[in-house]
Amino acid sequence: MSRNIIIDTDPGQDDAVAILLALASPELNVLGLTCVAGNVPLARTSHNARQVCELAGRADLPVYAGCDRPMGRGLVTAEHVHGDSGLDGAVLPEPQMPLQSQHAVDFIVETLRQAPAKSITLCSLGPLTNIGTALQQAPDIAERIAQIVLMGGAYFEVGNITPAAEFNIFVDPEAAEIVFKSGIDLVVAPLDVTHKALTRKAWIADLRTQNSRACDTVAGWTDFFERFDTEKYGSEGAPLHDPCVIAYLIAPHLFTGRHINVEIETQSELTRGMTVADWWRVTDRPANALFLCDINAVGFFNLITQRVARL
Ligand code: BDR
Ligand code: CA
């Protein structure tokens, strides 16, 4: 039986690959995409999400726009990583499918309330604003969520947008705090795991031999996306963060991690958005998340190619 998921996202090339991977995978039943402001502003993320659905041949999938800014702060975006469009690196047609008129937060709340308890998993690929807002407005949904699997945070790798913080958590630490304190079953794919799966030229070249428009598009996005990280880290390739969330749901054996306590720093100007992860279990704070740390990178990239080539 396939698992019902809602993907909350701010596409972003790596978000886009994650969406394609989900839509190509029979293990997952995507109920809808909820867009949030993050890598680029909301108007752009909700535009990009629809382009990606159409690329996957899924113009039928409902796409919702959600929060256009973090819960308690101004928006920080990442055009310096993703380009002005958020999806630089491949040219896609203007989306024809509609954006739903319902607000993403209302969709999340209504869908969870109407479905059997614990039958829906939330996949978060961007700042946690939509999910944090939904939990604040409707605390009763917490016990209805099967699991939240999210890309965000870091412990050993510390930060990518500041020395102390990963982008998704940094953008909306108040929303992240709500999620991490919610008591919901959490799986976290931090930079510690995503930085262990770097794209390789050979993988991109292989995508281009698949005779698939979706694979060619992923290759174009990856070419663009890589340049930022290769310049920054001096590495050969770049981490493809967000597909780790979807890969975890399809093939959890590719990952290992620890059940630990993770708290979010919301106060300090210096370290705001830091995920204070008790990896060594030096406190008696109770575990609230499975914090992933290792990944079988070869298996991960093979999975993406095999699945996306089916679209
Ligand atoms: C995260 O930030 C965004 O730039 C990516 O899409 C990913 O979700 C990585 O820090
Ligand atoms: Ca993202």
Side-chain angles (χ1 to χ4, degrees):
M1 211 181 72
S2 61
R3 185 161 169 165
N4 291 323
I5 65 171
I6 294 172
I7 302 179
D8 192 73
T9 178
D10 63 336
Q13 293 90 348
D14 61 325
D15 300 73
V17 179
I19 294 165
L20 293 179
L21 178 60
L23 294 179
S25 295
E27 299 88 345
L28 301 176
N29 176 33
V30 184
L31 301 176
L33 301 185
T34 54
C35 300
V36 67
N39 286 321
V40 283
L42 181 68
R44 198 70 223 181
T45 59
S46 46
H47 170 278
N48 294 352
R50 287 177 290 146
Q51 283 183 310
V52 176
C53 288
E54 289 182 3
L55 174 64
R58 290 297 309 275
D60 60 301
L61 199 68
V63 176
Y64 302 83
C67 301
D68 65 357
R69 75 195 71 160
M71 293 181 77
R73 313 171 175 268
L75 177 65
V76 176
T77 54
E79 285 88 352
H80 61 293
V81 182
H82 300 273
D84 285 342
S85 75
L87 287 183
D88 282 21
V91 179
L92 293 174
E94 282 300 298
Q96 302 302 309
M97 62 188 281
L99 187 61
Q100 301 295 311
S101 55
Q102 190 179 28
H103 193 283
V105 170
D106 296 333
F107 168 72
I108 291 170
V109 171
E110 265 183 31
T111 307
L112 284 164
R113 281 181 176 161
Q114 284 165 9
K118 299 204 188 295
S119 64
I120 297 175
T121 294
L122 303 185
C123 301
S124 169
L125 313 180
L128 284 154
T129 316
N130 286 342
I131 297 174
T133 304
L135 286 166
Q136 190 182 59
Q137 285 180 8
D140 57 289
I141 63 170
E143 59 182 35
R144 306 195 65 79
I145 298 170
Q147 195 170 49
I148 297 178
V149 186
L150 67 97
M151 191 280 133
Y155 177 64
F156 296 98
E157 292 286 309
V158 201
N160 61 357
I161 185 77
T162 74
E166 180 280 330
F167 179 79
N168 289 340
I169 307 295
F170 176 80
V171 171
D172 200 340
E174 283 75 20
E177 185 177 41
I178 291 173
V179 170
F180 278 80
K181 285 195 184 308
S182 66
I184 298 164
D185 183 354
L186 296 184
V187 179
V188 180
L191 297 181
D192 305 304
V193 72
T194 69
H195 282 190
K196 289 188 183 119
L198 302 184
T199 54
R200 300 272 173 229
K201 294 276 174 245
W203 178 69
I204 301 174
D206 185 53
L207 282 171
R208 292 202 160 98
T209 66
Q210 299 295 320
N211 202 15
S212 141
R213 184 165 160 252
C215 286
D216 286 345
T217 307
V218 172
W221 285 333
T222 310
D223 269 341
F224 179 86
F225 189 61
E226 266 197 356
R227 105 226 165 275
F228 176 78
D229 285 294
T230 51
E231 281 165 23
K232 180 175 170 189
Y233 298 112
S235 52
E236 196 199 311
L240 209 50
H241 308 277
D242 294 334
C244 289
V245 166
I246 305 299
Y248 174 80
L249 290 173
I250 301 167
H253 58 274
L254 295 176
F255 298 85
T256 56
R258 280 189 192 179
H259 283 100
I260 57 167
N261 178 269
V262 183
E263 304 286 331
I264 308 296
E265 173 58 58
T266 58
Q267 301 299 317
S268 159
E269 270 307 303
L270 192 61
T271 58
R272 121 162 118 95
M274 188 172 188
T275 42
V276 181
D278 190 4
W279 182 259
W280 300 112
R281 300 188 176 118
V282 293
T283 74
D284 55 10
R285 294 195 285 260
N288 59 350
L290 172 61
F291 201 77
L292 303 177
C293 196
D294 278 303
I295 179 170
N296 171 345
V298 173
F300 172 69
F301 285 111
N302 284 344
L303 179 72
I304 295 175
T305 306
Q306 285 163 8
R307 295 298 174 95
V308 174
R310 292 178 182 175
L311 289 170

